Amino acid sequence: MENKTNNYSYLRFAQEGKECIYDLFDAFLKKTIIEDRAIDFSKSMTVGDDGSIEFVTLEKDGAEVAFSELVGGDPSYKSVFELYLRRKACKAKDQLTARLALACAHLHWLWSLGMDCKTSCGMYGEAISVEEHWMDSLEDYNRESGLWHVNLSEAGVKQDLTLVFAIFHRFVTWPTRPQFKSVNQVKTALVEFVFKSKKNSGAPVRNGLLHLCDPDKYINWYSFESKTMFVTFHSEYLRGYKVSDYSELLAQDSLYYTRKYPKGMKLDPYQANRTEEKICYIFDRMEDNMPA
């Protein structure tokens, strides 16, 4: 595939032939977090001689727009954002709704990136009259291709977008945020916020973001049920398993998102890296036992 900038073949759960999706996620983080700039989705991405891709920065009235202006701000802005998401109409009628629509356009694009559906800014891009051309320079890239399949008629898109906003809001307003020198540093730090933000929300987009951040450690399954069922049904492969860092996982128990199931389901709870580590261990043991 063209425009491949990284080698994903050695990563445990990376999906073959979907390299451009991972590269697009990296390009999104580079533009929005490292550079703190909004993306101009109406303009084609630039492609370097080495195949690297980069979004074009959005400008308004001759000035570059900061991404932190779209998802940051004081805590009351989160309530305004959630109210905007709940509205059926999203047409940008004033400066505030234009800002909210632009934030939603970025987050919807990110939400749809890993889905088996058209990657786009959705109706939020339409609300601010964005004609998308960001993908024009990406040879052989299929916008309909994804890393996981979700029944879109049952997907809680607004619930997902609310959580994604909360994650990035907390990330860009992080008082002690370091000066990131690479996208990999951003992804490592972002995982913490994916687990910690809005712990009362069971929006499965957490799983999507985890995989995009680290496709070696986090499997490309969108639902928590799939993860816990895998551990329960293949528990025989856990013989000999030992946690990598007991004290660290113990500390995470009260800080990270967890999910419990009704007793009738006979499933252990989802416990963030405790569950994720078991999935990796089982997956590796199953791979070892595969016939030659």
Side-chain angles (χ1 to χ4, degrees):
M1 188 172 189
E2 298 294 326
N3 306 308
K4 178 179 177 181
T5 61
N6 296 298
N7 178 17
Y8 300 97
S9 61
Y10 68 95
L11 301 178
R12 186 184 282 112
F13 300 121
Q15 299 302 290
E16 185 178 356
K18 305 294 181 71
E19 292 86 354
C20 196
I21 295 177
Y22 299 109
D23 288 341
L24 283 167
F25 180 68
D26 287 0
F28 181 91
L29 293 183
K30 179 178 183 294
K31 180 61 64 178
T32 60
I33 301 301
I34 293 182
E35 299 178 15
D36 188 22
R37 291 295 179 264
I39 295 169
D40 190 342
F41 291 102
S42 71
K43 295 182 180 178
S44 176
M45 302 185 75
T46 60
V47 181
D49 294 337
D50 59 352
S52 60
I53 56 178
E54 184 172 349
F55 286 104
V56 175
T57 297
L58 178 66
E59 295 187 5
K60 183 178 180 181
D61 299 327
E64 296 181 342
V65 179
F67 180 69
S68 57
E69 292 180 1
L70 304 181
V71 299
D74 60 72
S76 64
Y77 183 57
K78 291 193 293 183
S79 299
V80 175
F81 179 88
E82 292 176 14
L83 178 62
Y84 174 77
L85 268 183
R86 290 197 295 269
R87 294 176 179 172
K88 292 183 179 179
C90 62
K91 190 68 176 176
K93 298 179 180 180
D94 53 43
Q95 188 173 357
L96 176 60
T97 55
R99 174 188 174 192
L100 292 166
L102 184 55
C104 284
H106 280 71
L107 302 184
H108 188 281
W109 183 93
L110 183 59
W111 171 85
S112 62
L113 176 62
M115 294 283 190
D116 273 334
C117 70
K118 185 177 181 180
T119 302
S120 74
C121 299
M123 64 179 181
Y124 306 105
E126 296 172 6
I128 49 178
S129 303
V130 173
E131 185 175 329
E132 298 183 42
H133 289 286
W134 54 270
M135 64 291 177
D136 289 356
S137 58
L138 303 181
E139 300 178 20
D140 301 327
Y141 170 60
N142 180 7
R143 290 174 71 187
E144 303 283 346
S145 179
L147 300 170
W148 43 79
H149 176 72
V150 178
N151 187 337
L152 296 179
S153 64
E154 300 175 358
V157 181
K158 292 184 179 180
Q159 180 190 26
D160 273 353
L161 293 184
T162 299
L163 177 56
V164 176
F165 176 85
I167 291 169
F168 278 96
H169 175 85
R170 191 171 178 183
F171 195 79
V172 302
T173 58
W174 178 12
T176 57
R177 186 175 60 163
Q179 185 68 39
F180 297 111
K181 297 181 180 180
S182 70
V183 171
N184 284 336
Q185 289 179 351
V186 174
K187 290 190 289 189
T188 298
L190 187 59
V191 165
E192 298 281 322
F193 289 81
V194 172
F195 278 129
K196 289 180 180 179
S197 300
K198 210 174 179 65
K199 290 194 343 181
N200 62 335
S201 173
V205 71
R206 289 187 199 274
N207 295 313
L209 291 174
L210 288 172
H211 177 72
L212 287 167
C213 283
D214 190 346
D216 186 59
K217 187 174 182 179
Y218 303 106
I219 200 165
N220 63 315
W221 293 343
Y222 205 66
S223 74
F224 294 102
E225 288 82 359
S226 296
K227 291 184 172 183
T228 50
M229 289 174 66
F230 180 78
V231 173
T232 299
F233 296 157
H234 298 288
S235 59
E236 70 272 16
Y237 286 97
L238 289 174
R239 296 187 188 120
Y241 165 74
K242 294 181 180 179
V243 298
S244 59
D245 189 329
Y246 179 78
S247 60
E248 174 64 20
L249 293 179
L250 188 64
Q252 291 177 3
D253 287 344
S254 61
L255 298 175
Y256 284 6
Y257 173 79
T258 60
R259 186 185 185 100
K260 295 182 179 180
Y261 299 93
K263 292 183 179 179
M265 294 184 69
K266 297 181 180 180
L267 292 175
D268 291 332
Y270 173 82
Q271 293 181 283
N273 277 326
R274 287 183 181 270
T275 300
E276 303 291 350
E277 190 170 275
K278 290 178 181 178
I279 291 173
C280 292
Y281 188 88
I282 292 172
F283 181 86
D284 292 344
R285 298 294 79 71
M286 293 177 75
E287 289 286 295
D288 292 342
N289 291 335
M290 287 183 64

